[in-house]
Structures are given as structure tokens and as C-alpha cells.
Amino acid sequence: MADTANPGAGPGHSGDGETRRDFLYLTAAAMGVVGTAAVAWPIIDSMNPAADVRALASIVVDLSPVEEGMAITVIWRGNPVFVRHRTAAEIETARGVALDDLPDPETDEARVQKPQWLVMVGICTHLGCIPKGQRVGEEKGEYDGWFCPCHGSHYDTSGRIRKGPAPRNLDVPPYEFLDDTTIEIG
Amino acid sequence: MSEFKPTNPVIRWIEHRLPIFSFIDHAVGSGYPTPRNLNYWWNYGSLAGIALVILIITGIVLAMQYTPHADYAFDSVERIMRDVNYGWLLRYIHMNGASFFFIVVYIHLFRGLYYGSYKEPRELLWMIGVTLLLLMMATAFTGYVLPWGQLSYWAARVITNMFTAFPFGETIVTWLWGGYTVGNPTLNRFYAFHYLLPFVIVGVVFMHIWALHRFGSSNPVGIEADGPQDKIPFHPYYTVKDLFGLGVYLTLFAALVFFAPNMLGETINYVEADPLVTPAHIVPEWYFLPYYAILRSVTFDIWFLSAKLIGVILMFGSTLILFLVPWLDRSPVRSARFRPWYKWFFWIWVFDVAVLTWVGANLPVPPYLYIGQVASVWYFFHFLVILPLLSIFEPTKPLPSSIGEPVLKGGGASAAGAASKPMEKA
């Protein structure tokens, strides 16, 4: 074994011998890293959402009782989803805004599937508070949409951030219309 | 310092096989030589240790009554308050014990900054201390979530949401939560961490003490001991001094626990967590207010960095910068007693932290917002600019020639008489 690996003799002999041993060290260390990672991953991944939590990933919502101008809040994956039946005036206001005035430019058309139904995750994109503006009489902020009381973010009638520390517009969850007044979220 | 020579045969038998008694004697007994001139600001290390023990003991018995489930946690805490024998007492001690732990540790830290205790060769001792502070913060935060009140819930949400400021933030936060929002899995893991971390703290405390005993305590004049005449045994001199301090501490602590147990808390946390209603005013516990003020002071983007990310970085940076203090302050003089300029800047900094605490308790609107912004800038300016500049330009006062000199009016500096009888003058 040693002969085939180290054909020479003298000072070079021990040097070459080290190379062979270094290789063993490296492969052993590499296997150690892979093995550790293989053991660590189940421990880390066990902290991710479990199957029962993931199973609650979609809900069906009947929108027929929601009159124009009304808003409802439904729970999806433990989070509130805002559904607002917008008035023509609200839609018009949302569509009349120049994109240059928006911190997170997005057209109103891109945020809705049917103009009268605005569906959004009701969580402020700053630090996760629930904005006010769903219930009658609540403060809706300077743009008549939603207002987050925690750190003062103002959202417009399309749920877009207009003023305050939030970096993004309110998120639109994946949803589809099953018929004219029924949606499935998730 | 006398050698440890037990006379009791049982102790000698054990000591021969496991030298634990000499170990204790060297740690907190007559075998630990301590500078003779320590003042009461040096009490806070041992007080912090006792505060930690009080928290661990009350915490273990509270854990026997607590239910870590989102549906039952709040009720189980109310049951502790109403039905469990002395449950109200144990919980009030635990709750206010955390506050007192932070008071004591903050004073301990301010002591270190004032007297330059972090300077060579005690940099690592200081850094282990800052690590302990970070561990305490994590423990306090996870513990605050457990009663599952409105502020428990929303504090958990706001703080964990900070991670969304970083790349892959959503993935990280979902992993931290174990779901798509703060929920039962989050409560469970926070409980596990809250039980684990105090014992990690105990382990790191041992490293803190180990590093301390390498060179011994610093002292108010900040010069090293010349010889044995500058030192006295820890026991009985400082055990007695620490016990007196403990008496004062426990008196104040009992006053809070028995007469104003909810003074430092927020009433709204006695309302059960509601994921659909954000409280009008979210505030952290008082000991986190300065950091919270710094977080909320950033209201503008800089280049490609969002205000949120900068706020989060500065908030964590306000504690992490303490790690660098031994290298930011290059002044060869330790104690502020002999640093006429630093003494002022130290108290200005303490005042600045007090202002940040006050701002953090208020809504981020003018004038609080602007005051908070000025105070946040000063906080970092102190460490990053003032300390390095003072190291160069400050005219320091002459140092005494020995620890004993200021006390003995010129005598005692390695005098043979003092060396032979070190304890009489202390």
C-alpha cells in the first residue's frame, strides 16, 4: 500500500505520506459534515409547519350576503383576510392614482380579479399588526382605506401603502372565484 | 490568603478525591483575594446571581401548574393566580423578579462602563457579560409570551416579524412560528426555550466567573493591585458586604411584590390573546423600551435599505456594539474618576438611555419621534465617535501609586507593615 502511494524515499516520502493522510482527513471531515447536516435537518424541519397546520391551507367563502360598501374578515391559515365589496367611487379613486405617487407601485387592476371585490391578507406589512378600517366607524386613514395603529401606516382603497413605515402593499392571497359570489382562498 | 486546610475528616476524605471544597473556597471564600477598595457598585454581580436563582426556583414550580397550549395557557395562569396555593406570590415574584434582574444587570453594566472594567485584560469577561445580557433578553421575551395575553401575543408577532426585513424573511418567520402566524406551535417552542435558556445562562455565568477569577475584580481606582497588601479575602469581607446589599435588595423587591406587583406591567396583558384585534398601543416591557425607541426612530429608507431593515439592524446593533467597547475606548486609564471628560459623557449617555426609555413608552409621533431620533443618534455617536476621540484628546488626572494610597493618605504603598497585616486597615 505504502509503496504504491509513495514510490519515492527519503524526505519526499513523509511529504507524500502526509498527502495521502490529508486526503483521508478531508473525506472523513466531509462525511462528518454531510452526516451532521443529515441529522440536523430533521431537527430543524420539525419546527416548520406540521401537516395538520398545512392542511388548513384553503377555505371557501360565500360573498353573497356582503352588500356594496360592506367588508368582512375571514380567517385563513390563522390570519385575517379582508374582503371589501367596493363602491364605484372607491374603485374610481383607486384607479385614478398615478403610479409615481406609490411607494410600492402596483395598479389596482393587478390587485383584483373582479373590480368590486378586493381580497387581501389583513396584516400590516411593517410588523404584522391588524390594520383598522374593516368595521363601521373605525379609522380608515388619510386615503379612506385602512390604517395601522401600531406605527401609523396608511393604506388606500386598493390596500396599497401610501404613507408610513410599511414597505409593501397589503398582500393579495391566492384565490379564485368558484362562481359569481363564492371564492376559494388558498 | 491562607491555604485551604480542612480539619473535618469527612471533608478531607471528599476533598482528596474531588477537590470541590477548595474550589468553592477559591471562588467565593477566603481563598479568593479581592481588592480592598470595592464600593457598593460591586454588589450587583452577586445580586444578579441571586436574582437568577430566585427566577429559576419560582419558574420551576410555576411550570408545574402552567399549560403551554394556546387554548389553555391564559386560563392556567389565571388559575395560578386564584386557585394554586401561593400561586399569586410565586407568579408575582417571577414576574417582578425578571424586572429586578434587569435593573441589577443594567446597573452592573453601567458600573463596568463607568469604571472601565472592560479594559485589558478583562475584555473577554466583558464580552461574556454582554452575551449573558443577550441570553437574558431572549429568555425574558419568550417568557413574556407564555401568559398568552394581548401584549404577549402581539409582542411575539411584532418581534418575530422583524425577521421579514431580512432576505428569506418569510421562510424564516414561518419556521420560527411553526405555522402561518403566531399560534400554538409558537407558544410550545417558546415555552421549551424559556425553560432551557436560564440553564444556558447558568453555564455562561460560570464562564463569566471563571474569566473574572483569572485576573480578579477590577476596582474603583482602576489600577491593578500591587501585592497582597492591596487585597483582602472575599470571605468574610465581601460576603458580609454582599449580604448587606442583598438585604436592601430584598426589602425593595418585597415592597414591589407585595404592594405594587403590577406597577411595571401593562393592564392589557390580562386580556386573553386575540389574533384579530391589535391593541391600540403595543409597548414592550420597560427593560426593552430603549431598543424599541431606536427601532421606531428610523422612518426613512437609505439607498436600497428599507426603513424597517435599518431599524432592526440598529436595534440589535445597540446591544451588539457593547462587544466592541474595549476596542472603541483606547484610553489607558480605566476609572472615570481620573477621566474628567469621560465622566461627563458617561452621565450624558445614561441620560440618553433614560430618554430613549421614555420615548419608547410613547407613540412614535412628534415630538416623541424627533426626540427619539436625536437620542438614537447620540447613543451610537457616544460609542463610535466620543469614545475613540476621548482616547486621544482627554487629559487624564494622575493615578494613585497604589490601591491603598487614596485611603491611607499616602501610606500603604507596598509598605512592609501593611504587607504583613493586610486586613487591619480594610
Side-chain angles (χ1 to χ4, degrees):
Chain A
M1 287 284 287
D3 289 339
T4 51
N6 305 303
H13 180 86
S14 65
D16 291 339
E18 296 270 311
T19 309
R20 184 186 166 96
R21 181 150 292 183
D22 285 349
F23 179 73
L24 287 172
Y25 282 145
L26 280 173
T27 48
M31 277 313 290
V33 169
V34 171
T36 307
V39 174
W41 176 246
I43 294 169
I44 293 167
D45 194 37
S46 75
M47 287 172 69
N48 270 319
D52 62 332
V53 177
R54 293 197 302 270
L56 302 173
S58 72
I59 55 165
V60 175
V61 184
D62 177 16
L63 300 178
S64 54
V66 186
E67 304 281 338
E68 187 172 301
M70 279 175 63
I72 57 166
T73 304
V74 295
I75 305 286
W76 173 61
R77 303 201 305 194
N79 287 316
V81 170
F82 292 171
V83 182
R84 191 189 275 194
H85 193 163
R86 297 192 296 180
T87 61
E90 285 173 335
I91 299 169
E92 201 177 321
T93 315
R95 305 209 155 170
V97 181
L99 286 184
D100 291 345
D101 295 343
L102 299 170
D104 180 12
E106 204 178 3
T107 61
D108 183 62
E109 287 83 350
R111 293 178 55 77
V112 290
Q113 293 179 14
K114 296 184 184 210
Q116 67 272 36
W117 294 109
L118 178 63
V119 181
M120 305 176 302
V121 177
I123 296 175
C124 182
T125 56
H126 181 228
L127 289 172
C129 295
I130 313 290
K132 295 198 176 297
Q134 281 293 90
R135 290 182 205 172
V136 178
E138 278 184 351
E139 180 168 4
K140 293 183 170 187
E142 292 176 17
Y143 297 88
D144 204 31
W146 289 265
F147 171 70
C148 182
C150 292
H151 306 96
S153 292
H154 299 257
Y155 295 92
D156 68 10
T157 53
S158 187
R160 293 173 297 198
I161 179 67
R162 300 297 291 273
K163 183 182 171 189
R168 295 194 324 276
N169 302 331
L170 291 176
D171 292 322
V172 176
Y175 67 94
E176 59 180 308
F177 279 88
L178 301 179
D179 58 50
D180 270 359
T181 55
T182 311
I183 57 171
E184 182 178 10
I185 303 173
Chain B
M1 305 311 123
S2 56
E3 275 294 298
F4 181 73
K5 290 196 199 83
T7 47
N8 184 311
V10 178
I11 290 183
R12 278 164 66 173
W13 188 92
I14 296 172
E15 174 71 18
H16 184 64
R17 286 150 184 86
L18 175 74
I20 189 170
F21 294 104
S22 58
F23 177 80
I24 292 168
D25 187 61
H26 283 126
V28 291
S30 55
Y32 176 38
T34 318
R36 64 200 292 180
N37 60 336
L38 299 189
N39 58 30
Y40 276 108
W41 298 113
W42 264 260
N43 277 39
Y44 290 86
S46 72
L47 282 180
I50 290 164
L52 176 62
V53 170
I54 290 173
L55 283 171
I56 288 178
I57 292 171
T58 51
I60 288 171
V61 283
L62 284 170
M64 296 173 189
Q65 308 286 349
Y66 172 76
T67 313
H69 188 286
D71 294 342
Y72 307 106
F74 186 83
D75 290 343
S76 78
V77 172
E78 286 307 303
R79 183 178 159 273
I80 288 170
M81 294 302 288
R82 290 147 203 265
D83 293 347
V84 175
N85 299 336
Y86 293 105
W88 59 274
L89 179 62
L90 294 166
R91 177 162 172 270
Y92 278 153
I93 290 175
H94 197 74
M95 216 169 97
N96 289 295
S99 276
F100 262 59
F101 194 17
F102 271 97
I103 292 174
V104 162
V105 164
Y106 282 152
I107 294 174
H108 190 59
L109 188 149
F110 288 4
R111 192 290 315 276
L113 285 172
Y114 185 83
Y115 290 108
S117 302
Y118 47 81
K119 290 190 184 181
E120 202 262 314
R122 296 184 183 83
E123 301 97 325
L124 206 51
L125 169 62
W126 169 262
M127 293 169 81
I128 294 169
V130 179
T131 309
L132 282 169
L133 179 61
L134 291 170
L135 285 168
M136 274 175 69
M137 289 174 177
T139 313
F141 169 60
T142 50
Y144 191 61
V145 173
L146 303 186
W148 212 240
Q150 269 289 63
L151 278 184
S152 300
Y153 181 87
W154 288 98
R157 249 178 101 143
V158 170
I159 301 296
T160 49
N161 257 303
M162 286 176 185
F163 290 94
T164 58
F166 295 102
F168 307 106
E170 297 291 336
T171 315
I172 296 169
V173 166
T174 304
W175 177 69
L176 283 175
W177 288 338
Y180 302 103
T181 183
V182 172
N184 190 50
T186 325
L187 176 61
N188 268 283
R189 62 192 57 187
F190 274 35
Y191 182 54
F193 281 121
H194 186 67
Y195 208 116
L196 166 72
L197 287 176
F199 297 98
V200 177
I201 290 179
V202 169
V204 180
V205 163
F206 271 96
M207 286 171 63
H208 195 60
I209 296 172
W210 192 5
L212 169 70
H213 285 235
R214 184 80 177 84
F215 298 100
S217 298
S218 179
N219 66 80
V221 295
I223 58 174
E224 294 294 335
D226 254 353
Q229 77 281 2
D230 282 340
K231 298 223 173 177
I232 49 176
F234 188 83
H235 179 76
Y237 293 97
Y238 287 114
T239 42
V240 162
K241 192 164 182 163
D242 280 351
L243 275 174
F244 176 73
L246 178 64
V248 176
Y249 171 86
L250 290 179
T251 306
L252 295 172
F253 185 48
L256 190 71
V257 166
F258 288 107
F259 296 114
N262 289 305
M263 190 178 79
L264 298 173
E266 295 288 331
T267 319
I268 187 113
N269 215 31
Y270 285 104
V271 175
E272 191 168 0
D274 184 346
L276 295 186
V277 179
T278 310
H281 189 192
I282 298 184
V283 279
E285 291 279 85
W286 69 267
Y287 38 80
F288 289 143
L289 288 173
Y291 315 105
Y292 195 55
I294 290 173
L295 169 77
R296 297 190 304 178
S297 287
V298 186
T299 51
F300 40 83
D301 298 351
I302 299 175
W303 298 317
F304 58 93
L305 298 171
S306 66
K308 181 170 153 184
L309 182 61
I310 300 167
V312 170
I313 289 171
L314 288 185
M315 190 195 72
F316 285 114
S318 63
T319 307
L320 295 177
I321 200 169
L322 293 172
F323 279 115
L324 301 177
V325 167
W327 293 275
L328 291 169
D329 176 9
R330 309 291 305 174
S331 172
V333 176
R334 286 202 189 103
S335 173
R337 280 190 188 175
F338 309 104
R339 300 186 61 186
W341 295 1
Y342 175 70
K343 183 186 274 183
W344 280 101
F345 281 112
F346 169 82
W347 287 112
I348 292 169
W349 178 79
V350 171
F351 177 73
D352 187 61
V353 173
V355 168
L356 284 171
T357 307
W358 171 67
V359 168
N362 286 289
L363 287 170
V365 291
Y368 303 110
L369 177 66
Y370 303 134
I371 297 171
Q373 287 174 338
V374 172
S376 299
V377 168
W378 184 265
Y379 182 95
F380 289 98
F381 188 76
H382 173 86
F383 288 112
L384 294 173
V385 179
I386 304 250
L387 287 187
L389 286 184
L390 284 183
S391 315
I392 302 168
F393 296 110
E394 185 179 34
T396 55
K397 293 182 187 169
L399 294 173
S401 62
S402 80
I403 283 178
E405 190 198 79
V407 185
L408 303 175
K409 306 281 185 269
S414 64
S420 62
K421 289 182 179 174
M423 287 147 203
E424 288 181 354
K425 293 278 200 263

